[in-house]
C-alpha cells in the first residue's frame, strides 16, 4: 500500500456511515441486538480504520489523546450520575423506576439509555486508547 | 428448507476455501482464504437469521462484514510496514 | 455546506436503518446525525461543490446499469474458465495510464476493473498509473476508462 | 408458493452455484494472482445474488432495506479488500504465473 489512494477514498466514504451505524446500535439496544458495549466497539473500529488508512500522525491531529483520557472518565461519571440520581429520587442505585418521570416505562427507558451512553463513551475511549498505545509501543 | 440447502452449499464452499487456507503456499493465499471465508460467513449469518425467522441477525451480519474488512486491511498493513500506524 | 449535506445524508441513512419513530429515537437521530456531521463532515464530502456533486452522482448512477451488465458477462467468463478441464488461461500484466484527475475517479475505475472481465487491479495511483492482471490475453479496457472519465467530467 | 418465494429460490440457487464455482476456482487455479479472480468477483456476485433473493422473499419493508445496505456494503468493500491483497502481494515481489510455469 505505498500509494493508499483506493483504501483512503473508500475509508473516507465508509467512516461516517460506520459511525452513524454505531450510534444506531446504541439507540436500538432495547429493540434489537446491541447496546452500549457493541456500539462502542463499532465506533472504535471506525477510528481504527482511520488510523490504518491515513496513519497515526493525521489521526493524532484529528482525535486528541487527551480528549480520550477525558472521555474515559466522563463515561463512568455519566453512569454513576444516573445511578445516584435514582438514589436521590428515593430508589436504590440504578433503580430507574424511581426517577421522577410520568410513567415507569418512560423512566426505565431513559435511565437505561443514559447508562448505555455512559458505557458507549467509556468503551470507545478505552478501545481507542489501547489501540493507540499498542500501535505506538515501538516508538519508546 | 430452501435456506437450509443454501446454507449447506455455502458451508461446503467454505470448507473448500479452508483447504486452500491450510495448504497455502504463501501467506497471501491464506489471507485470501480467510477473507473469502469471512464474506461467506456474512451470507451464512443472514441465511440462518431467515431460517429461524429472526431478522435481527442482519445487524450482526453487517458488523461482521465490517470487522472482516478492517481485519484484512490491518493484517496487510502490518505485513507490509511491520507496524499498525 | 458539507456539514449540512452530511447531516441530511446521515439522517436519511438513520431512517433507512431504523424504521422506528418513537420520540426518544427521533431526538437521538437528530443529535447523533449532528455529532457525526461534526466529526466527519470533511471526510465524506470535503471540498466538493453542490452542483458538481449532483452532476457526478447522476452520472455515476447512469453508469451503474452498464457496470452490472459487464459484471454478469465477466462472471460467465470466469465460470467457463474455472470449469473447463483444460484450464485455458494465459495471464499477463497490463500497464497503462488513464490520466484520471481525482481520487474518486481512480477508485471507481479500479473497483470496476476488479469486478469485470478477467481483470484485477494490482496497482493504482496518480503517479504510478494502473497495473492490471488479466486472466486471458487481449483484455480491452478503453470503453470503461472513457466512461469513468465522463463521470469525472470536465467542468 | 407466491411469486416472491419462487424468485428467491431461483436467485438462491444461482448465488450458491456462483459461490461454489468460486471456491472450485480458488482450489484449481495455479497461483495467487489467478486465484484472486474467482475469489474477488464470482464470490461477490454470488453473495449479491443470495442477498437479493432474500429481499424478494421478504418483500419491500425496512428489513429488506437493511439487506440492500449489506449488498451495497459488500459491493464496495469486497473489491477494495481484493485490491489491497493483490497490491500487497505484488509489492512484496510475488511473481505472476506465466503459461507453462509449474503450479504453486
Amino acid at each position: 500500500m505505498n500509494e493508499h489512494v483506493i483504501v483512503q477514498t473508500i475509508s473516507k466514504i465508509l467512516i461516517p456511515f460506520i459511525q452513524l451505524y454505531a450510534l444506531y446500535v446504541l439507540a436500538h439496544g432495547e429493540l434489537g441486538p446491541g447496546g452500549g458495549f457493541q456500539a462502542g466497539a463499532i465506533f472504535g473500529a471506525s477510528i481504527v480504520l482511520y488510523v490504518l488508512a491515513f496513519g497515526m500522525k493525521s489521526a493524532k491531529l484529528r482525535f486528541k489523546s487527551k480528549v480520550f483520557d477525558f472521555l474515559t472518565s466522563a463515561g463512568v461519571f455519566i453512569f454513576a450520575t444516573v445511578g445516584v440520581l435514582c438514589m436521590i429520587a428515593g430508589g436504590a442505585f440504578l433503580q430507574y423506576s424511581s426517577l421522577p418521570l410520568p410513567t415507569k416505562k418512560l423512566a426505565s427507558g431513559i435511565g437505561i439509555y443514559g447508562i448505555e451512553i455512559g458505557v458507549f463513551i467509556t468503551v470507545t475511549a478505552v478501545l481507542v486508547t489501547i489501540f493507540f498505545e499498542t500501535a505506538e509501543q515501538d516508538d519508546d | 428448507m430452501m435456506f437450509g440447502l443454501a446454507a449447506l452449499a455455502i458451508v461446503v464452499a467454505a470448507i473448500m476455501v479452508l483447504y486452500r487456507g491450510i495448504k497455502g503456499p504463501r501467506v497471501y493465499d491464506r489471507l485470501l482464504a480467510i477473507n473469502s471465508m469471512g464474506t461467506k460467513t456474512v451470507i451464512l449469518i443472514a441465511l440462518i437469521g431467515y431460517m429461524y425467522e429472526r431478522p435481527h441477525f442482519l445487524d450482526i451480519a453487517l458488523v461482521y462484514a465490517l470487522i472482516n474488512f478492517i481485519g484484512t486491511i490491518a493484517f496487510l498493513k502490518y505485513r507490509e510496514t511491520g507496524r499498525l500506524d | 455546506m458539507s456539514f449540512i449535506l452530511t447531516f441530511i445524508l446521515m439522517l436519511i441513512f438513520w431512517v433507512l436503518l431504523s424504521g422506528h419513530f418513537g420520540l426518544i429515537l427521533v431526538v437521538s437521530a437528530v443529535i447523533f446525525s449532528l455529532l457525526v456531521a461534526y466529526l466527519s463532515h470533511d471526510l465524506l464530502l470535503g471540498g466538493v461543490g453542490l452542483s458538481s456533486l449532483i452532476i457526478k452522482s447522476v452520472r455515476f448512477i447512469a453508469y451503474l446499469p452498464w457496470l452490472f451488465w459487464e459484471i454478469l458477462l465477466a462472471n460467465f467468463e470466469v465460470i467457463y474458465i474455472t470449469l473447463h478441464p483444460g484450464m485455458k488461461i494465459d495471464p499477463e500484466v497490463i500497464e497503462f495510464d488513464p490520466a484520471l484527475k481525482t481520487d474518486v475517479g481512480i477508485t471507481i475505475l479500479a473497483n470496476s476493473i476488479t469486478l469485470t472481465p478477467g481483470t484485477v487491479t494490482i496497482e493504482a495511483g496518480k503517479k504510478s498509473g494502473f497495473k492490471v492482471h488479466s486472466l486471458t490475453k487481449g483484455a480491452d479496457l478503453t470503453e470503461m476508462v472513457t466512461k469513468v472519465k465522463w463521470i469525472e467530467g470536465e467542468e | 408458493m407466491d411469486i416472491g418465494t419462487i424468485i428467491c429460490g431461483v436467485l438462491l440457487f444461482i448465488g450458491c452455484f456462483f459461490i461454489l464455482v468460486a471456491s472450485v476456482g480458488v482450489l484449481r487455479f495455479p497461483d495467487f494472482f489467478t486465484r484472486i479472480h474467482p475469489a474477488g468477483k464470482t464470490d461477490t456476485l454470488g453473495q449479491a445474488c443470495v442477498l437479493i433473493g432474500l429481499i424478494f422473499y421478504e418483500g419491500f419493508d425496512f428489513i429488506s432495506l437493511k439487506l440492500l445496505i449489506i449488498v451495497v456494503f459488500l459491493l464496495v468493500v469486497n473489491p477494495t479488500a481484493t485490491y489491497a491483497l493483490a497490491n500487497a502481494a505484488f509489492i512484496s515481489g510475488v511473481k505472476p504465473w506465466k503459461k507453462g510455469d509449474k503450479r504453486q
Side-chain angles (χ1 to χ4, degrees), chain D residues 58-72:
Chain D
E58 179 69 35
F60 191 79
D61 58 5
F62 278 102
I63 294 168
S64 63
L65 270 174
K66 210 170 275 175
L67 279 166
L68 198 65
I69 290 171
I70 300 181
V71 173
V72 173

Side-chain angles (χ1 to χ4, degrees), chain A residues 71-96:
Chain A
L71 285 179
T72 309
S73 34
V76 181
F77 180 71
I78 291 174
F79 191 102
T81 309
V82 174
V84 170
L85 277 180
C86 292
M87 283 168 86
I88 291 171
F93 189 68
L94 292 180
Q95 189 188 355
Y96 313 113

Side-chain angles (χ1 to χ4, degrees), chain A residues 4-52:
Chain A
H4 307 257
V5 180
I6 293 180
V7 176
Q8 279 184 355
T9 315
I10 293 290
S11 306
K12 270 186 192 173
I13 294 168
L14 282 182
I15 285 173
F17 289 102
I18 296 172
Q19 289 176 340
L20 194 81
Y21 185 73
L23 295 166
Y24 154 81
V25 170
L26 168 65
H28 289 68
E30 290 175 79
L31 301 159
F37 189 89
Q38 292 87 330
I42 300 171
F43 203 94
S46 81
I47 295 173
V48 170
L49 182 59
Y50 185 90
V51 176
L52 289 174

Side-chain angles (χ1 to χ4, degrees), chain B residues 58-85:
Chain B
L58 292 178
D59 286 344
I60 305 169
L62 194 49
V63 173
Y64 198 90
L66 173 69
I67 300 296
N68 188 35
F69 173 65
I70 296 180
T72 307
I73 298 288
F75 190 86
L76 285 172
K77 183 148 193 192
Y78 190 71
R79 261 302 283 186
E80 237 167 67
T81 59
R83 47 187 300 135
L84 281 169
D85 56 334

